Amino acid sequence: MSHAERITLLTAQRPALLRLVQEARQGHPDEDLAAYLATVREPSGYLLAVALKRRFGHPDPETVLRHALLGQGPSHAFVAGITTATTLAEVLGTLSPNLVTLSDQLRGTHPPDAPGTPLRVLVAARGGAEIFAIPELSPS
C-alpha cells in the first residue's frame, strides 16, 4: 500500500477514529493519546495487530481476517483503536528495528492536550507504516 493509499484509508476511517478519541478523552483527559489503524491482510499491519492483541487482549487479528474472508466484515480487514502515545511507542519498539523511527516520533515532545496539538495516527499497511497528524475536530 502506497503513501496515497494509506492516506485514503485514514481519510475513510477518520470520523470513526475521532469518535474513539472523544470517548477516550472523557475517561483520560490528561493522557497523550495516539490512534492506530492497521490492515490485517498485509504483513506490517498483521504484525502490529498481533502485538496489540498481546498487549491489550484485543482486537483479534485472526477473527477480523476470517470475517473479511468470509464476507462478514469489511473486505479491507483492519483494526483501529486509541491508546496512549507512550504505550503505542512501546509496542512498536518491540516489533522491528525498522519501526524505531516511528516509535521515536510517538515519544515526541508533545505535551498532553496542548492546544493545537494534532492527534498522531499510526497507519500500518502492507510493507509500510507511517505516522500522520490530524486535527482533533468534530467527526462531522
Side-chain angles (χ1 to χ4, degrees):
M1 187 174 265
S2 71
H3 173 75
E5 290 171 311
R6 285 188 202 88
I7 290 173
T8 300
L9 179 60
L10 176 59
T11 301
Q13 297 305 313
R14 183 177 185 268
L17 287 174
L18 291 175
R19 276 191 295 278
L20 288 173
V21 169
Q22 289 173 343
E23 291 170 11
R25 289 239 185 267
Q26 290 174 1
H28 306 282
D30 297 329
E31 295 284 347
D32 183 16
L33 299 178
Y36 57 86
L37 178 60
T39 59
V40 296
R41 285 187 180 212
E42 305 296 341
S44 61
Y46 188 83
L47 182 64
L48 176 64
V50 168
L52 291 166
K53 182 180 185 313
R54 284 186 191 140
R55 179 72 182 241
F56 302 114
H58 63 82
D60 181 14
E62 291 178 25
T63 301
V64 172
L65 186 55
R66 185 173 46 251
H67 284 221
L69 293 173
L70 294 173
Q72 300 170 341
S75 61
H76 49 280
F78 62 88
V79 296
I82 306 295
T83 187
T84 65
T86 303
T87 299
L88 188 53
E90 289 170 4
V91 169
L92 284 173
T94 65
L95 295 179
S96 160
N98 297 335
L99 297 175
V100 170
T101 302
L102 296 177
S103 178
D104 291 345
Q105 287 178 20
L106 285 169
R107 292 179 199 271
T109 58
H110 294 97
D113 257 357
T117 300
L119 173 69
R120 289 164 288 167
V121 181
L122 170 69
V123 179
R126 292 214 180 177
E130 296 178 64
I131 303 282
F132 293 93
I134 61 172
E136 287 190 55
L137 302 174
S138 63
S140 55

